[in-house]
Amino acid sequence: MKIIDLRSDTVTVPSEEMRAAMARAEVGDDVYGEDPTVNKLEQAAAELLGKEAALFVASGTMANQIALLAHTERGDEVIVDAESHIYYYEVGAAAMLGGLQLKPLEGLNSEAGPGVLRQAFRPANIHFPITRLVCLENTFNRGGGTVISREVSKEIYDLAKERGLFVHLDGARIFNAAVALNCDAREFTRYCDSVMFSLSKGLGAPVGSVLAGSRQFIDKARRYRKALGGGWRQAGILAAAGLVALQNIRRLAEDHAHARLLAEGLAEIPGLHVDLSQVQTNIVVVKVVGRPGAAALAEELARQGVKCNVLGPDALRFVTHKDISREDIETALSIVRKTVTKI
Ligand SMILES: Cc1ncc(COP(=O)(O)O)c(C=O)c1O
């Protein structure tokens, strides 16, 4: 039985072209700054994001945590969305590694974000921690892959700057946002001091993320990467895959079209509810109305060959990616239809 794996865009496997590029990659010792392929990837990524410099790291979580460390001092407060990856899925690392207090806000990663942020500001007072950093997530994973518009990104950035705060963008899927709005990623990244994006999600590389910012920030970030054990040697083998992955930016629109097709099909199935206005990129969040509940449905779907993630007691997440074809979407829809009626 063919498995249609819609759990995440992290499940993609490297293409033949990527494997060939990895095999012939020119390499050196990256801790000495001597890996030409890593240097090439970092330059290409900095250019794409409109930043002075970039740093290739092992994962999105590592990139976010290095950014938090490089922007802050122990005891500082960092403002995040209550559903953000940094707050929800990073093992409490901000406290564990940085001694940071996260301030989770409902609705920060949304059109209401600027108002939400304004409400969170406090006057200077010896009782309060020093707020240092605001983190945004675009696209917003637990929000269903929604895009924070350029206007809202700018408003939040301007507010942060009025208060002397840094802005870090968790842009694991920033190119999905750019493709969705048919614009350059720099139209988002100009409104942040640092940004990270994942090579190993929709772009299809086996490993890696990139953190970008000013030269000074990246020099500091490089030291933190080393401290976290992330100084790697002939990493050009991985960076070569990353360079091929950058070419996949142009095919993300296909994933978005597949997500739309899937969402529209799922929305027609009695017992499921999809807010189609929230389906903006490659993620589809589905509410499971009444019985049997999201977990039981996901389990049965997996037995029938369709894998998805459980987001909560009544919510499932389906993510499209380069290894999913239109035909897979059609097959998945027919399996979900049958399973929901049967169970
Ligand atoms: C928005 C967002 N940020 C960060 C990450 C972390 O990336 P990684 O799994 O490479 O640590 C993810 C991964 O799913 C994500 O969705």
Side-chain angles (χ1 to χ4, degrees), residues 241-257:
L243 282 162
V244 176
L246 293 180
Q247 292 167 26
N248 281 332
I249 294 171
R250 57 177 176 240
R251 61 150 308 286
L252 292 175
E254 198 182 314
D255 298 343
H256 298 181

Side-chain angles (χ1 to χ4, degrees), residues 59-61 64 85 90 137 141 170 172-173 196 198 201 209:
S59 69
T61 301
N64 280 335
H85 197 279
E90 297 192 5
E137 186 179 310
N141 176 19
D170 175 346
R173 298 184 181 83
M196 84 83 168
S198 293
K201 296 198 167 69
S209 286

Side-chain angles (χ1 to χ4, degrees), residues 23 122 140 267 293 341:
R122 292 176 298 200
F140 181 24
T341 351

